[in-house]
Amino acid sequence: MVTLKPTVSFFVFFPLFAAAAWSIIGQLISSGAHKAITQPDDCPFPPKYLSASQIRHTGISAIDQAACLGVELTKVALFRDLQPFTVYFLSSLSSVFMVINIEGLREDGPSTWFPALVTSFSMMSAAGIVVPLAWLFIFALRRRESMEPLTRPTAEGLFLSLILGYLLPLAVMISTTDEYAILSWAFSGIFMVIIQRLWASIRPPTGQAGFFTTQLGLLTTLLIPSFIHLTMMFNYAPKITGESLLQWLPTWTTGNPKYLTTEAIVLQFLQWDFLFTFVASIFAGVFYTDSWPELLLYAMATPMVLLALGPGAVVSAMWMWREWKLTMLKQVQTDGLQTNEKKDQ
């Protein structure tokens, strides 16, 4: 059956990718503000290994320098006024990584390595650029929609990797802001795929459906960001005015870096990163609707869930619905095959 999804998705996700590349990286470079991130005082190059952030991990200057830059950026993001938004963003990001892992780990999905690459590059660059590119690959370049529900061992491995590979390192990093904890979290994508492969090697294979385990993982990525969203709303919503909200929103152009603090530059980076990550993922949900009534329901529910529980809840809830649909479809197909076999006998 001919479908316009690949073509339409290209004209949605490619502009999002291009806009994200300019908004997150391009305007920082054009204004010179990127130097506040790429040339911090605590990360001289060649490395001198004098600051707490610049640690001799490998002895290879380029690698140790990249690690130092990542640590310094994260420390600024977790410092003072930036910390609440950073915690909000990174906790909500678990929803996006969860659904990309689900799509990648399906038997008819892109590849078991695909979600590991997406997660790793998101950590090492900007999720707002990588995630639209990932959805562009899934919808426009593969030209085939994955429809197989996760098996039980795969779903269990994914759930364990989410908890032990992403959420636990995230919690340790936020609570300690230790240099090694930050680097451990930065390698979450690698840890997740290692845990998944390890579980697959020790778990007896079975063709049983992993519906309930998958739903449990999605529910986890719905509840944690929702709790943080509600906490933020309770603490900050009464203090927000129209003027303060407009001042907080990211600007289309970066001002003169001479008059900007490092915190202001990092905040703008994170704001655009957050925006494009979730705009792309929420649009991805549109392409997984199968009928006009379902699309209308998604369009109506998204703003309400977004305001009430946050973007992470929107993404997780959509995929809980998608997993239920695919599981029911698989069950109908299985029952139909069994009925035909009985007729043939």
Side-chain angles (χ1 to χ4, degrees):
M1 184 176 65
V2 178
T3 175
L4 294 176
K5 275 188 180 182
T7 303
V8 175
S9 64
F10 177 84
F11 287 104
V12 171
F13 292 109
F14 184 78
L16 279 175
F17 163 71
W22 166 253
S23 300
I24 298 171
I25 302 295
Q27 61 175 326
L28 291 179
I29 295 176
S30 65
S31 68
H34 69 288
K35 294 179 181 178
I37 297 175
T38 60
Q39 300 176 16
D41 294 336
D42 286 343
C43 297
F45 190 81
K48 296 181 179 179
Y49 304 107
L50 299 177
S51 70
S53 297
Q54 199 162 55
I55 301 171
R56 192 183 297 274
H57 299 287
T58 64
I60 301 173
S61 297
I63 296 177
D64 290 348
Q65 179 70 0
C68 184
L69 294 177
V71 167
E72 275 300 297
L73 174 62
T74 307
K75 281 184 175 181
V76 174
L78 291 172
F79 185 63
R80 291 190 309 191
D81 294 338
L82 296 190
Q83 186 187 47
F85 178 68
T86 302
V87 172
Y88 182 80
F89 178 19
L90 298 183
S91 63
S92 299
L93 197 57
S94 63
S95 302
V96 177
F97 289 157
M98 179 69 181
V99 301
I100 287 179
N101 268 271
I102 289 174
E103 296 304 323
L105 293 174
R106 298 190 194 281
E107 291 182 357
D108 56 347
S111 166
T112 55
W113 288 101
F114 175 75
L117 291 174
V118 172
T119 306
S120 297
F121 280 111
S122 295
M123 299 293 196
M124 297 176 186
S125 56
I129 297 175
V130 177
V131 169
L133 196 60
W135 292 122
L136 177 67
F137 174 80
I138 288 174
F139 291 112
L141 301 182
R142 292 192 71 240
R143 308 184 73 85
R144 181 169 63 89
E145 184 175 335
S146 304
M147 300 290 289
E148 286 291 328
L150 297 185
T151 62
R152 187 171 176 180
T154 302
E156 290 170 349
L158 175 54
F159 179 69
L160 289 173
S161 71
L162 171 73
I163 300 298
L164 301 178
Y166 183 83
L167 291 175
L168 181 59
L170 176 63
V172 173
M173 180 189 73
I174 292 171
S175 60
T176 65
T177 62
D178 177 75
E179 292 79 12
Y180 290 102
I182 292 172
L183 285 175
S184 296
W185 171 81
F187 286 97
S188 291
I190 305 300
F191 291 151
M192 289 180 73
V193 75
I194 290 174
I195 293 170
Q196 291 166 13
R197 291 300 179 92
L198 180 61
W199 182 254
S201 67
I202 63 176
R203 173 71 158 85
T206 174
Q208 291 180 331
F211 172 74
F212 291 106
T213 308
T214 306
Q215 295 292 82
L216 178 61
L218 288 167
L219 183 63
T220 302
T221 61
L222 186 153
L223 292 178
I224 293 176
S226 296
F227 174 77
I228 294 175
H229 176 83
L230 292 172
T231 303
M232 297 274 287
M233 292 291 288
F234 179 78
N235 289 332
Y236 293 99
K239 307 173 187 177
I240 295 175
T241 63
E243 182 179 354
S244 65
L245 179 61
L246 289 175
Q247 290 176 349
W248 184 85
L249 292 175
T251 57
W252 290 107
T253 57
T254 303
N256 190 330
K258 293 181 179 179
Y259 304 105
L260 293 174
T261 63
T262 302
E263 288 83 357
I265 294 171
V266 171
L267 175 61
Q268 179 172 313
F269 175 88
L270 292 174
Q271 286 172 322
W272 285 119
D273 199 13
F274 172 86
L275 179 66
F276 283 104
T277 297
F278 285 100
V279 167
S281 299
I282 290 172
F283 267 113
V286 172
F287 288 93
Y288 283 125
T289 57
D290 298 317
S291 64
W292 286 107
E294 188 179 352
L295 176 60
L296 181 61
L297 176 62
Y298 183 63
M300 292 171 58
T302 294
M304 294 185 288
V305 178
L306 190 63
L307 290 173
L309 300 175
V314 174
V315 175
S316 294
M318 175 59 191
W319 259 261
M320 291 179 77
W321 169 249
R322 170 166 162 75
E323 286 305 299
W324 180 84
K325 287 192 303 177
L326 294 181
T327 302
M328 293 300 102
L329 178 62
K330 185 72 172 180
Q331 186 62 45
V332 169
Q333 292 173 344
T334 302
D335 292 344
L337 289 174
Q338 291 175 349
T339 302
N340 291 334
E341 289 176 357
K342 290 180 179 180
K343 289 181 179 180
D344 293 339
Q345 293 175 355

